[in-house]
Amino acid sequence: MEEKRLKQLIALSEKTLLSDLELSSIDPGDPVRVDETPEGWKLLGAGNYACVFMNHDYPDIAVKVYAPGRVGWESECEVYRLIGNHPAYSACYYAGEHNGFYYLILRRLNGKTLYRCIIEGVPIPGRVITDIDQALDYARSRGLHPHDVHGKNVMVTDGRGLVVDVSDFLKEEPCSMWEDLKRAYNRIYMPFMSKNPVPVPEWVMNGVRKGYRFMRHSSVFGRSS
């Protein structure tokens, strides 16, 4: 990004977003709660440790803000340094702290998450799965350990796959989430849903997500994750 534009965006973020932002994280197992989004900004999404915003004057940029007391900012900075420039990942232009908030200025990835595709009945082509597989292999070649790669953290744009969240890629413990998702794609989506995708109610998807989380942490299923 051009240096002048980046400086303008840093100043704008610290003056109009981070100075007036109200967010909280009560339970690390639940998404961060944004109590009020400052004027001129749009909330793009909230995870368990951070939330992501866009300013209407910079639609190609995302500002990721960590909730107070939540760790991960330093690790994510290192992950982006190691990833460098890759089409399936975002890029980090700046990392800083202001008003008690640690934040990242990132290249915005546009598209729909696989989770949202299922809810809206949007087709998920096989090339998306291949792209993400290749992107994760690339991350491993850079000394990283893809972790927490699930339907809300990967995206489809123009028929290609993107990896949205890399914040846990320094964790070395095994994680089977992506392999589990691929298994569901090959065994359920492809034979039963791919030819004529229909919307799936979000309450059904939330039930599947909670059931999967329970199984992952059970004594039987959890040993493979």
Side-chain angles (χ1 to χ4, degrees):
M1 177 189 290
E2 184 208 352
E3 184 176 356
K4 180 180 179 181
R5 187 168 185 258
L6 178 58
K7 288 182 178 180
Q8 291 172 339
L9 183 53
I10 293 170
L12 179 67
S13 300
E14 295 187 349
K15 182 178 181 180
T16 67
L17 175 64
L18 301 174
S19 294
D20 298 323
L21 185 61
E22 296 182 14
L23 57 84
S24 57
S25 178
I26 299 173
D27 186 336
D30 293 325
V32 171
R33 187 177 68 192
V34 180
D35 298 313
E36 184 173 348
T37 301
E39 185 177 354
W41 293 85
K42 177 182 178 181
L43 177 65
L44 297 179
N48 291 352
Y49 297 93
C51 47
V52 181
F53 299 89
M54 178 203 75
N55 185 275
H56 298 296
D57 292 331
Y58 294 85
D60 59 330
I61 299 297
V63 179
K64 183 172 184 177
V65 184
Y66 274 78
R70 294 300 175 201
V71 299
W73 175 81
E74 291 182 348
S75 296
E76 189 162 2
C77 291
E78 177 64 8
V79 170
Y80 277 114
R81 186 189 71 81
L82 291 171
I83 283 179
N85 186 26
H86 189 281
Y89 294 99
S90 179
C92 182
Y93 298 124
Y94 180 80
E97 182 273 336
H98 181 77
N99 196 32
F101 292 110
Y102 287 90
Y103 70 102
L104 304 169
I105 293 180
L106 306 170
R107 177 171 62 89
R108 183 185 174 194
L109 300 177
N110 291 292
K112 292 183 183 292
T113 64
L114 267 61
Y115 182 85
R116 180 53 55 182
C117 286
I118 296 296
I119 289 174
E120 297 181 7
V122 176
I124 304 173
R127 181 57 188 264
V128 170
I129 306 301
T130 301
D131 286 344
I132 295 169
D133 263 337
Q134 292 175 350
L136 299 182
D137 284 341
Y138 168 80
R140 295 184 187 98
S141 76
R142 304 289 291 176
L144 296 167
H145 311 278
H147 194 97
D148 200 31
V149 182
H150 53 74
K152 289 187 175 182
N153 284 347
V154 290
M155 185 177 284
V156 180
T157 181
D158 297 326
R160 304 301 298 266
L162 304 175
V163 181
V164 180
D165 191 347
V166 299
S167 57
D168 289 327
F169 276 30
L170 289 183
K171 293 184 177 180
E172 297 188 9
E173 62 264 31
C175 179
S176 68
M177 282 189 175
W178 175 242
E179 294 302 319
D180 294 337
L181 190 153
K182 284 199 302 180
R183 193 175 298 113
Y185 178 87
N186 291 323
R187 295 181 180 179
I188 300 174
Y189 183 85
M190 285 302 293
F192 301 112
M193 302 174 68
S194 61
K195 292 182 180 180
N196 186 28
V198 295
V200 176
E202 190 162 6
W203 65 266
V204 173
M205 293 298 293
N206 280 329
V208 171
R209 180 178 59 85
K210 291 178 180 179
Y212 172 72
R213 179 186 294 181
F214 173 79
M215 292 178 66
R216 284 190 73 246
H217 290 89
S218 70
S219 58
V220 175
F221 195 78
R223 281 197 294 267
S224 64
S225 60

